[in-house]
Amino acid sequence: MADALVAQKNADGQPWDRLVVRDGGGVLRVIAPQDHMASDSGAFSSYWDGYVGRVWDKYATTDLRVDLQGGRGVLTGRVSGGVLTFDDGSTFARPAGKDIFTCNDGPFANNPGDSDLKKGLLARIAAAFNRSTILSSADQPNGTPASGFYQDPTTDHWARIVHAHTPIGYAFPYDDVCPDGQPDVSGAASDGDPRHLTVTVG
């Protein structure tokens, strides 16, 4: 993972290599972009700007359809006046890099007073940004199979690299959003009746 993050930094010039925490010459761990941004707020600050601009341009003239899944229906949104507005009245301002990586800041802040519909929209839109599927498909989350995730040059390469190198690794909030009928590719691990936990180091 550390080598892949350094290679991505060399490919696009973004500070992916700074997600690698080293101890002397060795790799101690790798951290998520939002964790790095907590101490370096300027990192990735403009990373998503071009992609978000293309998304906002597309949905000014095209409907974005978000299936809330579980029988909750499909909501349709359009960008007007710089705001993505859905037919239930839920709105999302244009997100910045921190908003996308954290999935819980700016327009993606999960506010207790928000309706369940808006919370459902937030999860699916945030996942679509991190996976860079919101531009390639107007139907979320069902318009793109897992094989189509992370295909745009501007994507959450941290999440892409985590999933490429480990079967367990919930890479961003709402990573468990998946198209209907498709397996959960988030790498989340759970046990409804745990008996013990063994941690092996080294």
Side-chain angles (χ1 to χ4, degrees):
M1 289 177 62
D3 289 346
L5 287 165
V6 171
Q8 186 58 47
K9 184 266 182 189
N10 292 336
D12 67 12
Q14 295 293 325
W16 302 104
D17 60 321
R18 295 186 203 159
L19 306 183
V20 180
V21 179
R22 299 185 184 274
D23 180 18
V27 175
L28 182 62
R29 64 182 176 272
V30 291
I31 60 173
Q34 59 267 32
D35 294 328
H36 176 65
M37 293 171 78
S39 60
D40 182 359
S41 60
F44 299 104
S45 60
S46 62
Y47 176 68
W48 291 98
D49 290 356
Y51 186 86
V52 172
R54 288 184 286 150
V55 169
W56 248 233
D57 288 346
K58 175 176 180 174
Y59 295 113
T61 58
T62 303
D63 286 343
L64 172 61
R65 295 172 297 277
V66 179
D67 189 335
L68 299 178
Q69 302 176 293
R72 294 184 295 167
V74 176
L75 294 178
T76 301
R78 282 269 183 122
V79 173
S80 178
V83 177
L84 177 59
T85 303
F86 286 86
D87 43 18
D88 73 320
S90 294
T91 61
F92 296 88
R94 186 175 173 139
K98 181 180 179 184
D99 309 334
I100 294 170
F101 281 126
T102 65
C103 302
N104 190 24
D105 203 62
F108 293 159
N110 197 336
N111 298 307
D114 287 343
S115 70
D116 287 343
L117 294 179
K118 182 165 185 180
K119 290 175 183 177
L121 286 168
L122 189 160
R124 285 149 186 83
I125 294 169
F129 267 107
N130 277 276
R131 295 169 175 159
S132 299
T133 61
I134 195 166
L135 186 60
S136 58
S137 176
D139 292 295
Q140 293 297 326
N142 296 320
T144 308
S147 60
F149 295 174
Y150 312 113
Q151 296 303 303
D152 195 278
T154 302
T155 195
D156 185 344
H157 289 289
W158 154 260
R160 176 183 62 78
I161 290 166
V162 165
H163 290 310
H165 290 87
T166 178
I168 299 175
Y170 198 86
F172 61 89
Y174 309 120
D175 199 1
D176 57 338
V177 169
C178 58
D180 287 336
Q182 298 293 309
D184 181 348
V185 296
S186 68
S190 63
D191 186 335
D193 186 24
R195 304 297 172 132
H196 63 273
L197 170 67
T198 302
V199 178
T200 304
V201 179

